Amino acid sequence: MSHGRCATELEAIHQDILRMGTLVEEAIFDADRALSGQELLLAQKVIDGDDAIDDLEREIEAACVKLLALRRPLACDLRAVTTVFKVITDLERMGDHAHDIAAIAQRIGADRLIKPLIDIPRMSTLARQMVHESLDAFVRRDVALAQKVCKDDEPIDRLYTELYDELLLFIMQGNDTVRAGQALSLLFAARALERIADHATNIAERVIYLVTGTRVVRDHPSSTEL
Amino acid sequence: MILPEPPKALSLSVTDLSVQIGGKHQLKEISFQVPSGGAISITGPVNSGKSALLWAINGLLYEVPGAKVKGKVQIEHVELQQIPVGEVRQRVGLHITAPLARTPFAEVALPLQGAHLADIGARVEHVLRLVGLWSTVRNQLHQPYSVSNPVLLRLLTLARTIVRLPGILLLDDPTRGLDNMGRARFEDAVANIISTHKMTLVWATREPDQAGRVAETMAFLCNGEMIELGPTASIFERPGDPRTESFLTGDYLTLQSLLNGNNL
């Protein structure tokens, strides 16, 4: 960020993004606890809290449009504004995925879980760490940290693939439609976490562009094609 | 004539151009090319050397007492000093905003004195139409005009600059002090001229916004140095030098400290 004509507005937008990021991290954390610990009140909290994330996205977008209209940012300021547009979309989508996980927790309700959830909390912790670090990289303009976040996507993809195979067996082998339905729900939850990690990767890639001006070109899609 | 006859856009090449006036460096080893019919904006803060560069391209600088010019300016691959001064003045048009005559007709026709042109009236009408002034002044062509109308004055002097259909048009911050509408009108006039006569355009401006509108290639000048040269959109998005970055973002404190640090 420069100390030029957009400095004050961009600083305010930064603060709002951090607020939005904090809400998203909380939502992911709570959604995982709601699912793994079957805490239904927490699930409702995540679902109710999604509006606040959406509101912040709209506020930040409006602030960016105003900045474009009034200050005509150039150079690093221009890259900052275009990056913010992308970052808030990613954050909003993460909020939606947390909402989806919470809804799955509600659907499973108090039913006995078909298996103890180990990989999903692990994925959740990794994804949350990626979200945190991607925003940290954004605020500190830290390319090395952003590159680390991009790499951190792989273990989550791997966990998702393993979980996919495992849950597929539940779905195919059992005659119990309730168990198969729960397996499918858990698969959707794992998929949501995998997508959250992808969005964190997007943010990290935008940070690299923001600092270096070079757009990251992916060799392969970061999300698994399952 | 050494250069191609009008109307013909001329290529421009500046190589290692350095200018000192009164011992002070105005330009330091400036190099760039503009192909025939191309356009470049020269952007930079006040006193960055934009005017000196235009004066050098037009050859006027050689006539400034105490000016030392090194390096080459070539028009259509011919060195400027090998081209007769009269031909340079005719083929390389530098827009001067000062009024030099009392009536619109006399103002615009001024450079045609001594030109072998069958129908001066038709040429004056043609360029007045190009700059969008014909309907405004057609009934007052031979009456004194008001120089206090800045838009009228800028457009009339623009018509005067192009009346001999130069192959290169040099504009030195031509819309300074104009309001939004006047600026738009002037920019439209230039777009109309170069699309009709395919002139090569060198447009100096201190406003980055204008640089973005008038040419897809830009050079950024600072303290007589060319800091950057390249596609305007790329430099606006990703400048390669902190001085350009500071100028574009309006971070004058950082720009000042960068310049002081370099003892420029």
Side-chain angles (χ1 to χ4, degrees):
Chain A
M1 204 192 316
S2 73
H3 303 289
R5 59 180 175 269
C6 305
T8 311
E9 287 81 358
L10 278 174
E11 179 54 35
I13 289 172
H14 265 185
Q15 291 304 323
D16 279 345
I17 286 199
L18 285 183
R19 279 168 55 207
M20 193 175 171
T22 305
L23 291 182
V24 169
E25 279 182 57
E26 266 178 25
I28 301 167
F29 184 64
D30 290 343
D32 170 41
R33 277 173 57 207
L35 181 67
S36 310
Q38 296 188 289
E39 295 185 39
L40 299 182
L41 281 177
L42 262 184
Q44 193 57 46
K45 181 189 165 206
V46 174
I47 289 166
D48 294 342
D50 195 39
D51 286 346
I53 294 173
D54 293 349
D55 289 346
L56 260 178
E57 188 206 11
R58 275 191 291 275
E59 277 174 35
I60 297 169
E61 187 187 341
C64 286
V65 170
K66 188 174 166 191
L67 184 64
L68 284 174
L70 298 184
R71 301 293 162 100
R72 303 189 189 182
L74 289 175
C76 58
D77 294 344
L78 176 65
R79 299 200 302 276
V81 177
T82 55
T83 298
V84 168
F85 271 121
K86 304 278 272 188
V87 166
I88 57 174
T89 307
D90 282 313
L91 284 173
E92 190 273 331
R93 295 308 302 272
M94 290 182 198
D96 287 348
H97 289 308
H99 175 284
D100 293 345
I101 295 169
I104 288 168
Q106 282 189 334
R107 201 178 316 141
I108 293 174
D111 291 355
R112 191 159 169 270
L113 293 173
I114 53 173
K115 65 186 270 313
L117 300 188
I118 295 163
D119 284 343
I120 284 185
R122 204 180 283 165
M123 283 180 78
S124 165
T125 304
L126 288 174
R128 215 155 22 85
Q129 187 184 336
M130 282 176 72
V131 176
H132 187 81
E133 288 182 344
S134 67
L135 289 174
D136 209 16
F138 172 71
V139 172
R140 288 174 14 206
R141 304 292 199 257
D142 187 337
V143 174
L145 186 57
Q147 284 165 335
K148 175 188 175 291
V149 173
C150 293
K151 286 203 183 84
D152 286 348
D153 192 34
E154 282 172 29
I156 294 192
D157 285 346
R158 223 173 16 249
L159 275 173
Y160 174 65
T161 311
E162 287 167 16
L163 204 55
Y164 177 91
D165 292 341
E166 191 184 342
L167 291 169
L168 196 63
L169 280 179
F170 272 100
I171 296 166
M172 289 167 65
Q173 289 176 347
N175 297 323
D176 184 341
T177 53
V178 175
R179 279 167 63 87
Q182 195 188 101
L184 202 55
S185 292
L186 292 176
L187 189 60
F188 286 145
R191 172 71 177 170
L193 288 168
E194 189 270 334
R195 292 297 300 144
I196 287 173
D198 284 346
H199 286 295
T201 310
N202 287 348
I203 293 179
E205 287 174 349
R206 296 304 296 187
V207 171
I208 295 169
Y209 161 74
L210 171 62
V211 179
T212 66
T214 307
R215 289 185 179 81
V216 177
V217 180
R218 287 187 200 169
D219 297 334
H220 54 85
S222 76
S223 67
T224 45
E225 296 298 326
L226 297 170
Chain B
M1 293 282 282
I2 291 174
L3 299 172
E5 296 273 340
K8 166 86 174 71
L10 304 176
S11 68
L12 168 68
S13 172
V14 175
T15 312
D16 293 332
L17 182 71
S18 292
V19 173
Q20 277 189 46
I21 301 176
K24 185 181 180 302
H25 270 291
Q26 300 288 330
L27 295 173
K28 292 175 205 163
E29 295 171 3
I30 305 285
S31 296
F32 67 98
Q33 280 95 41
V34 191
S36 161
I40 188 171
S41 67
I42 310 287
T43 311
V46 177
N47 291 331
S48 55
K50 301 186 294 290
S51 299
L53 180 57
L54 297 191
W55 280 47
I57 296 169
N58 174 262
L60 269 176
L61 211 54
Y62 294 96
E63 295 164 26
V64 172
K68 285 186 194 163
V69 183
K70 280 201 295 186
K72 274 194 295 192
V73 174
Q74 290 168 297
I75 314 285
E76 289 285 312
H77 311 290
V78 183
E79 268 202 57
L80 196 64
Q81 284 160 301
Q82 292 170 4
I83 308 169
V85 172
E87 196 176 332
V88 174
R89 294 285 177 277
Q90 180 192 345
R91 303 298 289 125
V92 183
L94 173 63
H95 179 226
I96 308 276
T97 54
L100 300 173
R102 291 181 64 237
T103 72
F105 188 92
E107 192 70 86
V108 176
L110 194 67
L112 294 174
Q113 286 173 2
H116 304 289
L117 196 66
D119 194 345
I120 289 179
R123 175 63 66 82
V124 169
E125 178 182 338
H126 174 65
V127 293
L128 282 171
R129 283 185 188 280
L130 279 180
V131 301
L133 273 187
W134 179 245
S135 59
T136 313
V137 299
R138 62 184 301 176
N139 295 323
Q140 301 139 42
L141 276 179
H142 300 285
Q143 293 163 25
Y145 73 94
S146 164
V147 294
S148 61
N149 178 339
V151 179
L152 177 69
L153 180 60
R154 300 290 165 90
L155 290 172
L156 270 182
T157 50
L158 177 63
R160 183 183 71 199
T161 310
I162 60 155
V163 75
R164 295 185 76 174
L165 305 181
I168 297 176
L169 177 58
L170 307 174
L171 300 174
D172 189 3
D173 216 350
T175 59
R176 66 188 172 280
L178 296 187
D179 70 1
N180 210 19
M181 291 299 116
R183 204 157 45 226
R185 210 170 152 189
F186 192 93
E187 288 173 11
D188 266 5
V190 174
N192 198 24
I193 291 164
I194 58 174
S195 70
T196 308
H197 286 298
K198 304 284 182 279
M199 293 175 192
T200 303
L201 179 66
V202 182
W203 188 318
T205 174
R206 66 185 89 169
E207 296 174 47
D209 283 355
Q210 187 168 56
R213 288 192 298 273
V214 300
E216 289 183 5
T217 302
M218 73 170 270
F220 175 64
L221 251 59
C222 204
N223 274 7
E225 273 185 86
M226 185 176 284
I227 310 292
E228 288 198 54
L229 171 69
T232 311
S234 302
I235 292 176
F236 276 15
E237 184 191 3
R238 185 179 36 166
D241 188 281
R243 286 168 288 184
T244 324
E245 182 100 32
S246 309
F247 176 73
L248 292 177
T249 57
D251 187 357
Y252 60 94
L253 288 175
T254 301
L255 185 62
Q256 268 173 7
S257 71
L258 286 169
L259 297 182
N260 292 336
N262 286 346
N263 292 321
L264 289 170

